[in-house]
Amino acid sequence: MQLDIGNALDSVATPGVSTDALDRLDDAVADAHETIAAGMSNARFGYASLNLPETTSAAGIERAVDSIDADAVLTVGIGGSALGAKTITAALGEANHYLLDNVDPEATNRLLNALDFESTAINVVSKSGTTAETLANFLVVRDAYEAAGVDWTERTVVTTGESGPLAELAAEEELPKLAVPDGVPGRFSALSAVGLVAPAILGYDIEAVLDGGREARDSLTGSIDDCPAYAYGALAVALERRGVHTNAFMPYAEALEPFAEWFAQLWGESLGKDGQGQTPARALGATDQHSQLQLYRAGRHDTMVTLVRPTARDDREIPAVDVEGLAYLGDATLGDLLDAEFEATEASLAAADKPSVRVELDRVDEHGIGDLLVSFEAACIMAGELMGVETFTQPAVEWGKNAARGLLGGEETAEAAAVRDKREYRIE
């Protein structure tokens, strides 16, 4: 990953960060890097995430799924148990990877009605094995396979903890079972079996994904000037302290659109604490130049735009036409046009004094997506260190889980009582 922060400096943007401020921040980055490095060395909770490129066995995952013969994969999970896998397969251009990561019955019915169960593997993921949404969806999926006369046990891989309902089911049915790594929150777990089972079943080179992650991990040093990942995290914190409370993440590659969704969970769930944290907004270039860019360019000075693109991609020529006003397109490719759109967006933000950051990767492939995933995890961890928040927890999420459990009758909880006590003011 390469980073260009020139358009976030105070000589270009308002608010922006001065080079003097970056120099001062570098000392804090060096201290934080020592904490992160020690956490990695001791495999402390959360910091162990950055060890996954070394500790995950691609060969072990491939052996576990070797008996699964499928042309498509249905991942049943939620949040980090699904987004990482989808991010990887989407980056590789895979269209036959489906998610059940919500409990909307109409969407579930549409998906199950469209699937060919005979050729679709089930990849069910839950660390605890008790996640209500995941278990509910898995029970529905299992029932659909049985109703169609298809043996779901021959097509199911379970990724879960050492104990719990899913672990017991895997043992009872002799299903392939892989472990959710210890000490790794779900949103940081993409480079483990959590994110790699689906691409492994579909035949992708998951070792190359880990290679990209290792390259990003090895790039972590104690200075902003030498480490793009840490520079991104530090700059985002510096801008937030100056009133930049929204981070609009805008890849210029459709294969990275799910990566923007993964980033939104990572950034929001990790850093939204103690009255701090940027709100992540998802956009797609060039599509959202025709929708959201109006706000980012002409709205409040409270947003940084993160522009992401590969520097190499497969391309397609634009056919020449003899039409006045369109002839210029015949000398270009779609890639040329997309790059022009990228640079025009970047320049338009700078002309409006709005901060933006350019992130580039060589290519959207196995190596590239592994690099990006680990780079942004490291950026997020650095940001959390500088902000002084508990990066790896998600207490607000747990509140909602407790409320839902109580409302469904699992147990009476204070959170469920709070839902029942909701004040109403209806207008009909």
Side-chain angles (χ1 to χ4, degrees):
M1 183 179 95
Q2 302 92 44
L3 188 70
D4 180 354
I5 64 172
N7 281 355
L9 299 178
D10 64 353
S11 58
V12 176
T14 306
V17 182
S18 70
T19 54
D20 288 343
L22 288 175
D23 289 341
R24 292 192 297 272
L25 192 57
D26 208 34
D27 291 336
V29 168
D31 291 341
H33 173 61
E34 290 187 8
T35 300
I36 294 169
M40 292 163 60
S41 178
N42 297 322
R44 285 176 53 200
F45 180 75
Y47 302 99
S49 310
L50 298 178
N51 293 336
L52 289 178
E54 299 291 345
T55 58
T56 299
S57 169
I61 294 171
E62 289 164 348
R63 282 195 301 272
V65 305
D66 185 60
S67 63
I68 306 295
D69 182 17
D71 299 321
V73 175
L74 173 62
T75 292
V76 183
I78 195 166
S81 294
L83 281 175
K86 184 61 177 177
T87 294
I88 294 169
T89 58
L92 303 179
E94 179 57 59
N96 292 323
H97 182 202
Y98 307 96
L99 295 188
L100 269 180
D101 61 346
N102 205 340
V103 286
D104 180 335
E106 293 186 341
T108 299
N109 288 337
R110 283 195 297 270
L111 176 58
L112 293 178
N113 288 338
L115 285 183
D116 177 2
F117 298 142
E118 290 280 2
S119 63
T120 302
I122 304 169
N123 170 36
V124 57
V125 186
S126 171
K127 183 173 185 177
S128 66
T130 62
T131 307
E133 299 91 342
T134 299
L135 289 182
N137 275 330
F138 178 56
L139 292 173
V140 167
V141 169
R142 190 174 69 174
D143 183 67
Y145 273 68
E146 289 176 347
V150 178
D151 188 349
W152 61 271
T153 64
E154 294 181 354
R155 294 159 177 81
T156 299
V157 180
V158 172
T159 302
T160 190
E162 288 300 315
S163 61
L166 279 181
E168 293 169 7
L169 176 69
E172 179 181 334
E173 299 289 349
E174 298 182 345
L175 306 175
K177 175 181 171 293
L178 288 149
V180 175
D182 290 335
V184 178
R187 59 191 177 277
F188 288 89
S189 65
L191 293 196
S192 71
V194 172
L196 295 175
V197 163
I201 292 173
L202 293 165
Y204 291 99
D205 185 355
I206 60 173
E207 184 62 51
V209 179
L210 294 171
D211 283 341
R214 279 189 284 271
E215 182 172 300
R217 182 181 184 273
D218 292 345
S219 74
L220 302 179
T221 68
S223 174
I224 289 173
D225 291 332
D226 299 324
C227 182
Y230 285 168
Y232 182 88
L235 179 73
V237 171
L239 286 171
E240 185 190 357
R241 289 170 178 169
R242 291 159 174 78
V244 176
H245 297 142
T246 300
N247 190 333
F249 199 88
M250 194 170 185
Y252 276 70
E254 291 206 17
L256 291 177
E257 189 171 15
F259 185 86
E261 189 173 357
W262 173 87
F263 172 84
Q265 184 196 8
L266 180 79
W267 214 247
E269 197 166 79
S270 300
L271 304 178
K273 290 152 189 166
D274 303 335
Q276 302 180 73
Q278 291 177 323
T279 299
R282 305 195 298 270
L284 178 66
T287 301
D288 287 314
Q289 289 176 215
H290 298 269
S291 57
Q292 299 178 37
L293 184 60
Q294 173 65 37
L295 172 64
Y296 303 147
R297 190 173 191 275
R300 294 187 179 93
H301 284 256
D302 64 354
T303 301
M304 66 179 283
V305 181
T306 301
L307 301 162
V308 186
R309 71 169 175 184
T311 56
R313 57 163 68 89
D314 294 338
D315 212 342
R316 191 178 186 106
E317 290 185 359
I318 301 172
V321 292
D322 189 17
V323 177
E324 186 176 353
L326 293 180
Y328 73 98
L329 291 174
D331 294 325
T333 67
L334 289 176
D336 293 334
L337 179 56
L338 192 59
D339 283 340
E341 300 271 20
F342 177 99
E343 290 166 12
T345 297
E346 187 178 55
S348 75
L349 292 165
D353 301 325
K354 300 298 179 68
S356 69
V357 176
R358 176 190 290 209
V359 176
E360 292 179 324
L361 68 157
D362 294 337
R363 182 178 283 273
V364 183
D365 58 9
E366 286 96 337
H367 187 278
I369 194 62
D371 181 352
L372 272 187
L373 286 163
V374 172
S375 291
F376 276 95
E377 288 175 2
C380 181
I381 294 170
M382 173 55 69
E385 294 295 322
L386 296 176
M387 293 165 64
V389 299
E390 294 289 340
T391 306
F392 306 114
T393 62
Q394 52 279 336
V397 176
E398 298 303 322
W399 196 101
K401 288 181 180 180
N402 291 336
R405 189 178 301 114
L407 291 172
L408 288 171
E411 60 183 285
E412 184 57 38
T413 65
E415 293 87 351
V419 176
R420 295 190 184 98
D421 291 341
K422 173 191 175 296
R423 177 184 174 182
E424 291 190 353
Y425 185 151
R426 291 185 177 272
I427 300 170
E428 298 178 350

